[in-house]
Amino acid sequence: MEQDYIKIIFGLKLKQIRTDKALSLFGLSKLSGLSKSYLNEIEKGKKYPKPDKIALLSEHLEVPYDEMVSLKLDKNLAPIGEILQSKILKEIPLDLFGIQESTMIDIISNAPSKVTAFISTIIEIAKNYNFSKESFYLASLRSFQEANNNYFDHLEEAVIAFSKTYQVDLTQPLHSKELEEILIEEYGYTINKTELESHTELENLRSVFVPKTKTLLLAKHIDDAQKTFIYAKEIAYNYLEMSDRLYTFSWIKFENFDQVLNNFYASYFAGALIIPRAQLVADLKSLFSKKSFKAKYFERIINNYNASPESIYQRLTNILPKDFNLKSLFFLRFSHQKNSLDFKLNKELHLSKQQSPHANETNEHYCRRWVSLKVLKDISNSNNAHEFDIQVSHYPNEEKTYLVLSSATPDPFIADNYRSISLGIQINNQFKRKVAFAQSKSISSNEVGVTCERCAIQNCEVRQVKPTAILSKLKDEKIAAVVNELQEKLSK
């Protein structure tokens, strides 16, 4: 254990022993002969007493020396001991949010019993929801993205600098051949396009990087857009000098938060390189100037870049908040197997933290009125490579309305599986000022819920189950009303 943690555990124990004996710091000072300020520093975890001082405290507090120096805490403080010994404070990216580790330790030492209850609650929630370390890291990353409106100027500038250094023309669609040449010539990579095919266990991976030999293994059946994105990520790791990184795409597991953050930075850099900001802003201004919306306008933007629809939608979450001040938006990715009734929400981003839905309700039935699910059903019943649709979605319970664009594509790695990517932009005054087709009658409109279990829409033709959560709430409200009437009646 680190010395700081040993100090704080000793301080917590001393404070607990002192308070159990109804002693003030002043009282313990008189009893032991040690100064009040010195004892206060010990209890705050800022100082660790020398053996002779521990012996003195042990004698006057009538607690065995071995018990005083033991790292074992009683049941009331045990969760804090577990947290400190597990070094979770090192894993939490506190500095990402401007929090010093010392601040957290001060909070723990100043209110140990309350912090213990809080930590126990978090641990219990994590266990009940099977919240892994990877899930925690990803949740932290989403919060970081949301706090910055998912726009990172230093990465945008790095892309511009890279394009100048390596003479990459950002006004033209970028292809894998150009980036492959940079990886080989500049960074000493070897590209292997056959090895992965001989390992059936790795059939769902698009790439594996072997750092010792700088060999990049590529899946044989990926298209040029996927290959370009993988190459751009590899360039990002090298150009941005990020050594703590993931070696597979898609990722298998994270070892620490730096890998999560660096993976995000590399992906952001790749998206900004393949879908340059200046060009996308120009494309969006042209789209938003139209007085009516047609699907071909948006599909034309997608076709302007050598990128998957998901990469385009992800890039929109960077550009819309920054260049159009459209910050109330959400991004969702669903997966769906043909002929299945299940739709899995496996990626999300909510920039204003207000939008529905959230993935924590995956055990419930998502609203079948969503365009996100409609395009999945459409593509599973066709042989198309891309299905697109748009919808104005009004949430009556939240009194919010969103313009939702959604694209569905086949999963290239799993037969009869499909994915949909959706971007929802809140229709507010800012949206109406920026988008000429904001109230176009050419866009279908629908009232939607979040899940069937929580939806109050009457006579819904696609409802999967009864609104059990609402019915339960109404029942509780009726019981409470009867109890109040009874209390008033018998109080007279």
Side-chain angles (χ1 to χ4, degrees), residues 407-435:
S407 288
T409 57
D411 188 323
F413 295 92
I414 308 175
D416 294 328
N417 275 259
Y418 306 90
R419 297 174 297 188
S420 75
I421 310 299
S422 300
L423 181 74
I425 313 167
Q426 186 176 358
I427 299 177
N428 50 27
N429 289 334
Q430 175 66 8
F431 182 84
K432 292 173 183 177
R433 282 194 294 268
K434 292 288 183 180
V435 182

Side-chain angles (χ1 to χ4, degrees), residues 92-253:
I92 299 173
L94 296 172
D95 57 331
L96 204 63
F97 303 100
I99 301 172
Q100 298 296 320
E101 186 182 349
S102 58
T103 304
M104 288 295 295
I105 291 177
D106 281 345
I107 292 170
I108 292 172
S109 61
N110 288 332
S113 59
K114 292 179 180 178
V115 175
T116 299
F118 172 73
I119 291 171
S120 297
T121 301
I122 296 299
I123 291 173
E124 198 63 28
I125 291 172
K127 287 179 180 177
N128 289 341
Y129 285 89
N130 193 27
F131 201 65
S132 65
K133 184 168 70 173
E134 288 84 0
S135 299
F136 176 80
Y137 287 158
L138 292 171
S140 298
L141 176 62
R142 282 197 301 272
S143 295
F144 178 56
Q145 291 175 258
E146 291 161 0
N148 290 277
N149 288 318
N150 203 30
Y151 182 86
F152 296 88
D153 204 48
H154 72 286
L155 296 174
E156 301 282 347
E157 291 174 357
V159 165
I160 300 298
F162 171 83
S163 69
K164 290 179 179 178
T165 301
Y166 291 93
Q167 290 296 290
V168 175
D169 187 354
L170 296 182
T171 66
Q172 297 297 319
L174 190 61
H175 295 281
S176 63
K177 186 177 180 181
E178 185 174 1
L179 297 186
E180 182 175 298
E181 186 178 3
I182 294 173
L183 283 174
I184 294 171
E185 297 295 330
E186 183 69 15
Y187 298 114
Y189 271 51
T190 298
I191 310 297
N192 186 317
K193 300 175 184 177
T194 59
E195 180 66 29
L196 280 186
E197 193 178 12
S198 60
H199 302 274
T200 56
E201 300 88 351
L202 307 181
E203 60 185 2
N204 290 335
L205 294 182
R206 301 179 192 183
S207 68
V208 175
F209 179 64
V210 183
K212 191 173 182 180
T213 58
K214 283 195 170 184
T215 301
L216 182 63
L217 310 178
L218 288 180
K220 190 174 181 179
H221 53 287
I222 60 175
D223 60 25
D224 193 70
Q226 293 169 330
K227 195 184 301 182
T228 303
F229 185 79
I230 291 169
Y231 286 167
K233 278 189 72 174
E234 290 300 321
I235 285 173
Y237 280 126
N238 287 275
Y239 186 73
L240 299 174
E241 299 180 349
M242 298 184 296
S243 57
D244 202 353
R245 53 161 295 176
L246 302 178
Y247 297 109
T248 64
F249 181 61
S250 303
W251 64 271
I252 300 172
K253 65 175 183 177

